[in-house]
Amino acid sequence: MEGPLSFQARLSPAGDPTATLDNFHLGLGASVVDITGDFATRPTLRADVLLTLHSLAAGDLAPFLALPSPLTNATLSGRWSIRASSTNINADGTFDAQAPTLGIAGSVGIKTDGAIHEVRLSPTSFHLEETPFVPGVRGNGPLSGQWKIKISSTHWTIAGEMAGDSAVLSYGGWLEKPTGAPFTLAGSAEGTEGKDPAIALDLRTPELNITPGGPWPTEFHLSGKVGLTGEFQGPLSNLAFDVSADGESLDTTYGSSFRKPTESALALSAAGRIKKQRDIEISAATIRTAAGAFDVRGDVTDLMNTPTLRLVVKGTISDLTQVGRLLPPVADYRLRGQTTIDANVNGPAKDPVVDGRIHLSHAAVTPVAGVTLSEMNGKIRFTQDTANIESLSGKTFGSPFSLSGRINHFNRPTIVLDGRWDRLEVEKLLKLFSPTTPPSPKTPAAPSPAINALDSSAPIAQAIGVFRIGEIVHPHYVGRDFQFNWNFTDVGPNLSVLSGTASVTAATGEIKNVPVANKINKLMNREGSDIAYNKLAGLFWVTQGMAEIKSFVLNSDQTDFFAKGHVRLGDMESDLRLMLKLPPGSVRGSVGNWITADDGRPTIEAALKGPLRDPKVKVDYRDTVRRAAQDIFKKTLGGWKGKPDRPGTPTHSDGNPAPKSSENPLEDLGRDALEKIFKKK
């Protein structure tokens, strides 16, 4: 190593051991040093000089002084007052130290005995590029505080504190401390030859700016201000951390499924370890929102490249109303109540697999306008695309219900349910799915306002299951111990696309306030317009909202009732053929003879058309007219087979023209007699 050397000194001729160095200039490699001051060799070696470092390169000192690897390319300039003896050196002054990734300026104090070097730094400014000490961190600006450094050939330590309110700091290009925001850092670091350095830091910065572009999925948006405090301790390869953040001012979204509005409560705390500067082990973490709090445990691996999650999440949502504000897709469902959640999150952060369990407590939801499920309690297990309803109870339309089942494939789900409902008021339910104006018989029913209020892209489902209802109530019907089994495809808010099969049974019940029941009771010399039954069973095939009644049987002491035909589910518009069979001998006299079929039972057939809530019933007289005519013939004409003249045009009892007369006038007489019996009162 070469360089220029010049000096000028003065010695005392009287034997004084002190020498005065007027000027000493040394150029050594990239280093340039000037020294002035006094030296003495007796009685011991001492010096009191002023050292000016125009440029001192750490590499030039390597043959004389072992330095840690981060400082081997550093340069130092400054002006120091030095007092030295044969055993130690003390120096005070100013410095400006620069390395490729780190620069710092301020005042300095140095003390060394040749083996141990102690440095006291009071930094006044800095600049920082990415460095192994703090990966991803950059910054510059004025500083205050003091650090103490101790260096030996095999060991070094640094400790102190620093404030940088007017400095600018950033991490990863997405996290920034702006100028003017408070910032304090206290800590220490220690390194030994051949070992990973260990650090202990306490960081407090209550105002950080987050911009989009952090190490998270592309659908995740995070921006705004956050306050951060953190403690870090241990070797860089296994660094323990304890951090907390206040994110009330953050604006956060995840696609269209999650949104945290600005000024909505959000606080995070986490403790764990950063391993190999790439993996995070979370031993305890808590997320607090306006809706509730969640605890998180687990790992995040390969954080800076392809983050992979292995997390366990447990929490309590104490106010489900807030969930609608955080999760826009469920806002219209008006969630209320409480729930606890246990979940597992595994796989790539961009597309994790989620499964867990939800426990509802006094919850409520409005899945369709006008339908509210309240007082719900129960457990639901879920995965990324399934949900198992283990036990769910609550109330709807004022009546308790219970439910278990499974939902597969949320996009187009298959729903399997097993439930019980104490009481169902059919009229209330039908109003939700009925059009506001009656449709044309040839036109499918339009969806109700409740349906139109739903998202038109609501998933169409396949539904399979059984529902048991303690009592079904309708203005014209009461059924008890009702059971409904179904297997439907294309289930959705629009009943016009529903297809599948269903069956119903009921143990006992009544058909009430139906005109045909009044006629039946009249025939049997009974009062009222009700029919009490002890068995009901039906089988239905549904094709695009049109239900075909394959069989329907109702048994009672008054009559056995059979039905076939079609019912349009959107508006319950019906076209049915009915048959009523009365007990043998229950109708006496001529009428009994006229309506008794070949099996010996009085039988009435009728057509039922129109909306089921107010149908039109028309009795089919064909077989009955024939039998009535035969009976009239036997009793009044004694076997005469002529065809008497019929004066005028026959009319019904209501004054309207009668249908075209049959070829047998006796049948006309029979029809007139029956119409008088079945005329509407």
Side-chain angles (χ1 to χ4, degrees):
M1 187 175 297
E2 298 179 354
L5 173 62
S6 64
F7 68 91
Q8 182 177 350
R10 290 179 287 112
L11 299 176
S12 173
D16 187 340
T18 301
T20 299
L21 187 62
D22 292 326
N23 181 28
F24 179 89
H25 178 83
L26 173 64
L28 184 64
S31 301
V32 178
V33 179
D34 282 317
I35 302 174
T36 61
D38 297 330
F39 294 88
T41 58
R42 298 195 309 263
T44 59
L45 182 64
R46 60 182 176 80
D48 187 355
V49 299
L50 179 64
L51 173 64
T52 301
L53 296 178
H54 300 284
S55 176
L56 177 61
D60 295 338
L61 301 179
F64 315 104
L65 181 65
L67 296 173
S69 57
L71 300 180
T72 54
N73 293 320
T75 62
L76 177 65
S77 61
R79 186 178 178 87
W80 297 332
S81 174
I82 301 174
R83 295 172 302 280
S85 68
S86 59
T87 58
N88 59 71
I89 299 175
N90 293 291
D92 289 287
T94 60
F95 73 94
D96 185 353
Q98 301 293 328
T101 58
L102 174 65
I104 189 167
S107 61
V108 64
I110 299 175
K111 181 179 179 180
T112 178
D113 61 4
I116 299 176
H117 319 289
E118 297 180 10
V119 180
R120 182 188 73 256
L121 295 176
S122 297
T124 57
S125 65
F126 84 107
H127 83 269
L128 176 66
E129 304 296 332
E130 248 188 84
T131 171
F133 284 115
V134 277
V137 176
R138 298 173 182 268
N140 64 82
L143 298 173
S144 63
Q146 187 177 92
W147 295 86
K148 294 182 179 180
I149 304 170
K150 192 173 184 179
I151 302 172
S152 69
S153 60
T154 59
H155 182 261
W156 61 268
T157 62
I158 180 172
E161 60 184 16
M162 178 174 61
D165 294 2
S166 297
V168 175
L169 285 168
S170 67
Y171 174 75
W174 56 270
L175 180 64
E176 181 186 59
K177 186 210 83 69
T179 182
F183 172 86
T184 60
L185 175 66
S188 62
E190 182 177 9
T192 301
E193 185 82 22
K195 293 185 178 181
D196 194 17
I199 66 173
L201 297 176
D202 185 313
L203 173 67
R204 300 182 185 275
T205 175
E207 185 180 330
L208 295 174
N209 290 334
I210 295 180
T211 57
W216 42 69
T218 54
E219 290 188 356
F220 185 74
H221 170 85
L222 180 64
S223 64
K225 296 183 182 300
V226 62
L228 179 66
T229 62
E231 296 180 5
F232 303 86
Q233 188 167 8
L236 292 176
S237 60
N238 189 20
L239 184 64
F241 66 87
D242 187 344
V243 299
S244 61
D246 179 1
E248 183 173 348
S249 298
L250 288 176
D251 184 6
T252 307
T253 60
Y254 187 81
S256 60
S257 61
F258 173 82
R259 178 177 181 268
K260 183 244 165 238
T262 305
E263 307 307 325
S264 174
L266 177 62
L268 302 93
S269 62
R273 292 186 175 275
I274 303 174
K275 296 185 173 182
K276 299 179 181 178
Q277 302 177 32
R278 51 165 282 175
D279 302 331
I280 298 179
E281 177 186 278
I282 303 172
S283 57
T286 301
I287 303 172
R288 298 186 183 278
T289 70
F294 299 87
D295 293 329
V296 182
R297 305 285 189 277
D299 302 309
V300 181
T301 58
D302 200 12
L303 180 64
M304 304 305 294
N305 296 302
T306 308
T308 301
L309 309 177
R310 187 170 62 88
L311 303 174
V312 176
V313 181
K314 296 184 178 183
T316 298
I317 299 177
S318 55
D319 184 4
L320 281 171
T321 303
Q322 299 292 334
V323 172
R325 300 175 184 176
L326 297 173
L327 304 176
V330 303
D332 291 340
Y333 297 145
R334 296 177 54 212
L335 296 172
R336 288 93 74 197
Q338 298 180 353
T339 185
T340 59
I341 298 177
D342 295 338
N344 301 302
V345 183
N346 295 289
K350 291 184 177 181
D351 188 22
V353 176
V354 181
D355 65 87
R357 182 179 66 180
I358 297 173
H359 189 176
L360 295 172
S361 177
H362 303 292
V365 62
T366 303
V368 177
V371 179
T372 296
L373 309 180
S374 62
E375 300 180 29
M376 290 194 297
N377 297 278
K379 297 178 181 178
I380 302 173
R381 291 189 179 273
F382 63 90
T383 67
Q384 189 81 352
D385 205 26
T386 66
N388 282 327
I389 305 171
E390 295 183 347
S391 60
L392 182 66
S393 62
K395 280 188 176 182
T396 187
F397 293 111
S399 178
F401 71 89
S402 60
L403 188 67
S404 61
R406 180 177 177 84
I407 303 173
N408 293 330
H409 314 304
F410 292 147
N411 184 44
R412 185 182 175 90
T414 298
I415 304 172
V416 181
L417 298 177
D418 187 329
R420 177 172 179 81
W421 199 347
D422 282 9
R423 189 173 189 268
L424 168 62
E425 296 184 42
V426 176
E427 193 76 355
K428 292 182 180 179
L429 190 62
L430 292 180
K431 286 180 180 179
L432 297 170
F433 299 99
S434 298
T436 54
T437 57
S440 166
K442 296 182 180 181
T443 305
S448 72
I451 293 172
N452 290 331
L454 297 174
D455 184 351
S456 61
S457 63
I460 301 298
Q462 177 182 3
I464 304 167
V466 56
F467 224 102
R468 302 165 186 85
I469 303 174
E471 184 180 51
I472 290 184
V473 180
H474 184 272
H476 300 300
Y477 173 76
V478 174
R480 302 179 187 89
D481 296 330
F482 184 94
Q483 181 169 310
F484 178 38
N485 294 269
W486 69 89
N487 187 341
F488 291 136
T489 61
D490 297 326
V491 178
N494 186 355
L495 295 180
S496 67
V497 298
L498 182 70
S499 297
T501 61
S503 64
V504 296
T505 60
T508 60
E510 296 91 35
I511 296 176
K512 306 190 304 180
N513 301 318
V514 178
V516 70
N518 183 53
K519 293 180 174 65
I520 293 170
N521 286 331
K522 178 181 176 182
L523 290 173
M524 300 174 66
N525 294 317
R526 296 182 179 182
E527 295 296 328
S529 57
D530 298 351
I531 296 177
Y533 67 85
N534 50 39
K535 178 184 177 182
L536 179 150
L539 176 63
F540 311 91
W541 289 5
V542 183
T543 303
Q544 293 187 339
M546 185 67 73
E548 178 185 358
I549 302 175
K550 304 297 289 185
S551 67
F552 184 85
V553 178
L554 182 148
N555 300 134
S556 75
D557 294 337
Q558 294 152 279
T559 181
D560 290 335
F561 177 90
F562 305 88
K564 287 189 176 183
H566 297 85
V567 177
R568 190 167 59 196
L569 298 180
D571 56 0
M572 303 306 287
E573 186 76 14
S574 60
D575 184 1
L576 303 176
R577 294 290 300 174
L578 313 178
M579 178 184 289
L580 295 90
K581 284 188 171 291
L582 308 179
S586 59
V587 182
R588 301 183 182 278
S590 296
V591 174
N593 294 332
W594 296 350
I595 66 175
T596 298
D598 294 341
D599 60 2
R601 299 180 62 181
T603 301
I604 300 173
E605 297 185 38
L608 185 150
K609 292 188 177 183
L612 284 181
R613 62 178 174 271
D614 186 21
K616 305 283 185 190
V617 180
K618 183 178 181 181
V619 177
D620 185 346
Y621 298 123
R622 286 175 297 181
D623 289 342
T624 305
V625 165
R626 177 180 54 80
R627 288 190 291 266
Q630 292 173 351
D631 188 65
I632 292 172
F633 175 77
K634 290 177 183 179
K635 291 182 178 180
T636 61
L637 301 180
W640 177 73
K641 297 183 179 180
K643 298 182 180 180
D645 295 333
R646 301 193 308 275
T649 301
T651 61
H652 283 305
S653 57
D654 59 6
N656 293 322
K660 183 178 180 180
S661 300
S662 64
E663 294 182 358
N664 189 338
L666 293 177
E667 291 187 3
D668 296 337
L669 293 174
R671 180 181 292 106
D672 291 340
L674 287 167
E675 286 188 347
K676 291 178 181 179
I677 295 172
F678 289 104
K679 69 180 179 179
K680 186 173 182 180
K681 298 209 171 187

